[in-house]
Every structure is written in C-alpha cells, then in structure tokens.
Amino acid sequence: MSSPEIASLSWGRMKVKGCSTTYKDCKVWPGGSRTWDWRETGTDHSPGVQPADLEEVVKKGVKTMVIGRGMSEALQVPPSTVDYLKKNGIDVLVLQTEKAVEEYNALAAQGVRVGGVFHSTC
C-alpha cells in the first residue's frame, strides 16, 4: 500500500488524492489519511507536536515521517518528539509546510513508506 499524494495545499486547506475531505490539518500514512485534531492530544503551537500526535501514523509502519510546522513555522517540534521517532527507527524531516508537502510527495512517488502530519495555517 502506497502513501497517498497530497493533491493541493493552500492556507487552511489541504486535499489528499483519492479523498473527498478537505483538511485544515491532516495526518497521512500508507493507505490513508484523516483530520489531525489537536484537541485529541492537547497539542498547541507551543510546546508543539507531541509523540501522541504521531503514534497512529507510526503504527502504520512508516519508515519516514514528515512534519509540516505551518506556513510561518509557528508549530514547534520539541526534541523529545524527534527522539521518539528516531528510537522507533523512523527518519524524520521537520519543515515549513509547503516544503514538507513537496518532500512528502517526492518520497511517496519513490515508493517510500512515508507518513506525515501537516499544519496548514500559521
């Protein structure tokens, strides 16, 4: 099962190929995607992305995780979150969201088992 392409990105809107939902923030993994609801884990711009935000995607067997920090990179990614991924043998890229989507799509096109969490506003 391959990772779905992110078909479009604009401020506050993301579309994943093969999915009718428009996301504000989303999680993607080989074979699927869903809304990334920060309220589920109490996430906020600071301290930022928590390991709990990534567990669902990690469980899908990804080899690389791409984290999109927002258009203005307001979303923080603490070292503990990067360490969590590395301890699970997962490569991690933390980028501004437009760059993150480009990297994610390039990896997905190469057949890499890539997952991601993307913040599409600030």
Side-chain angles (χ1 to χ4, degrees):
M1 204 170 296
S2 61
S3 299
E5 176 188 344
I6 296 173
S8 67
L9 168 67
S10 60
W11 184 272
R13 296 175 57 87
M14 295 185 72
K15 296 283 289 172
V16 175
K17 193 171 187 175
C19 179
S20 60
T21 305
T22 298
Y23 301 113
K24 176 178 172 259
D25 300 319
C26 74
K27 298 181 179 189
V28 290
W29 59 83
S33 65
R34 79 171 182 92
T35 293
W36 178 18
D37 184 348
W38 292 13
R39 291 172 296 193
E40 293 172 358
T41 56
T43 294
D44 206 340
H45 289 98
S46 182
V49 183
Q50 305 301 304
D53 292 309
L54 307 175
E55 285 173 359
E56 175 181 18
V57 180
V58 167
K59 288 177 184 172
K60 304 292 184 183
V62 300
K63 299 294 177 216
T64 302
M65 179 78 72
V66 181
I67 300 173
R69 293 188 49 210
M71 300 301 209
S72 303
E73 298 184 270
L75 179 61
Q76 301 301 302
V77 181
S80 58
T81 299
V82 173
D83 291 346
Y84 162 76
L85 291 167
K86 289 183 176 177
K87 284 179 185 158
N88 280 280
I90 297 168
D91 294 327
V92 58
L93 296 169
V94 178
L95 301 164
Q96 185 268 355
T97 295
E98 289 160 311
K99 290 180 177 67
V101 167
E102 285 176 26
E103 287 294 322
Y104 168 88
N105 279 342
L107 291 164
Q110 294 167 24
V112 174
R113 288 188 61 81
V114 61
V117 294
F118 301 97
H119 178 45
S120 73
T121 58
C122 49

